[in-house]
Amino acid sequence: LQERFSRADPHCWGWPVWPEAYRHPALPAVQAYAAEARERVEFFEYLQWLVDQQLGGAGRRAQDLGLGVGIYQDLAVSVDRGGAEVWSNQDLYATASVGAPPDDFALGGQDWGLPPYAPERLREAGYAPFIAMLRANMQHSGALRIDHVMGLARLFWVPPNGKAADGAYVRYPFDDLLGIIALESQRHRCLVIGEDLGTVPDEVREGLARAGILSYRLLLFEREHGGAFKAPAAYPQDALAACSTHDLPTLAGYWAGHDIELRARLGLFPSEEKRHEQIVARAQDR
């Protein structure tokens, strides 16, 4: 359907801007189109099957080579609002966006533009979509990193058309979700890493430790109380350690201060004084 509508209008992206008759998979127009374009639909199913076959082959190859973990996958905090996942499960998602409150990293807060599960609707569905997502991601991998693992307990919701500073935390059934992850981890022999950066409630850290989910520690963030970088021996044993992540500067970029320059160009510092403070702090870090 996306292929069809974008052919007529290249700016038409995502089911929320499709013609209304196609905005839900159960509508008659969608069913009629599925029958009419059966061969094209099956082609895309074939592509999905190929991807699954290739990912499985890569996982088996890793085992054949004697790699201890195998494929290490990353599970994003949510999905694109205009994508197939939300179109197929519209009742499960809230109209708010996931984000983060203002802090030193993002002084205006963050709005990631991704829709969160509505916790009560997820529970009513018997957590079936959450279970299916874990199984799909663990099937061929030996390790799975759960992005923003605090979301198992609470997510910061930003209201539609609002600012991140207008948001609030919404609680999730932490124990239920943790139990499901532990069960699927055992079934698939897949270890789990929880990306627990930022403000993490004590109950979340305790719950992750009880379940045997590894912490996630970054060189750039691991500091002593005085601000000095921790020695590797001071890191928790049950943690995966790395220099940086996909949404932080590379080590070379951090050293050169490219991230500070970029934030200044994008107007993300509330004052020149704040920018200068970060330049001085970076010099001390080096």
Side-chain angles (χ1 to χ4, degrees), residues 122-154:
L122 188 59
R123 188 187 288 112
E124 288 165 6
Y127 303 108
F130 182 73
I131 294 168
M133 177 176 65
L134 289 176
R135 289 177 178 174
N137 282 274
M138 289 180 171
Q139 185 176 0
H140 303 307
S141 58
L144 181 66
R145 173 188 178 274
I146 299 179
D147 191 43
H148 198 68
V149 75
M150 294 82 79
L152 299 174
R154 69 180 193 186

Side-chain angles (χ1 to χ4, degrees), residues 166-245:
D166 301 327
Y169 280 108
V170 174
R171 294 189 67 82
Y172 282 75
F174 183 48
D175 289 337
D176 289 358
L177 297 175
L178 210 55
I180 291 168
I181 290 170
L183 178 60
E184 295 304 326
S185 168
Q186 286 290 321
R187 284 176 168 169
H188 293 88
R189 308 300 298 159
C190 178
L191 66 86
V192 179
I193 301 107
E195 188 264 294
D196 53 352
L197 304 175
T199 305
V200 184
D202 290 341
E203 65 181 277
V204 173
R205 288 209 190 280
E206 291 162 7
L208 297 177
R210 276 198 315 273
I213 294 176
L214 297 182
S215 182
Y216 190 66
R217 299 303 171 105
L218 299 181
L219 166 69
L220 299 186
F221 290 167
E222 287 301 297
R223 312 283 187 122
E224 304 290 356
H225 288 301
F229 288 98
K230 287 182 180 178
Y235 285 39
Q237 265 196 322
D238 292 334
L240 181 141
C243 288
S244 186
T245 71

Side-chain angles (χ1 to χ4, degrees), residues 235-273:
Y235 285 39
Q237 265 196 322
D238 292 334
L240 181 141
C243 288
S244 186
T245 71
H246 58 278
D247 53 6
L248 291 173
T250 62
L251 196 55
Y254 182 85
W255 190 269
H258 289 163
D259 56 312
I260 296 175
E261 293 173 17
L262 180 61
R263 288 162 75 185
R265 284 206 306 274
L266 295 174
L268 298 180
F269 288 111
S271 67
E272 182 61 24
E273 182 185 7

Side-chain angles (χ1 to χ4, degrees), residues 14-39:
W15 65 269
V17 295
W18 291 352
E20 202 158 328
Y22 297 90
R23 290 185 194 168
H24 195 283
L27 290 171
V30 175
Q31 302 301 314
Y33 184 73
E36 173 194 330
R38 178 179 170 183
E39 201 169 293

Side-chain angles (χ1 to χ4, degrees), residues 1-3 5-6 11-27 30 79-95 115 121:
L1 282 167
Q2 174 58 36
E3 182 181 64
F5 295 129
S6 62
H11 300 293
C12 175
W13 197 94
W15 65 269
V17 295
W18 291 352
E20 202 158 328
Y22 297 90
R23 290 185 194 168
H24 195 283
L27 290 171
V30 175
V79 294
D80 193 297
R81 192 181 300 281
E85 182 74 21
V86 179
W87 179 69
S88 302
N89 298 285
Q90 293 173 39
D91 294 341
L92 289 175
Y93 290 92
T95 55
R121 295 179 204 159

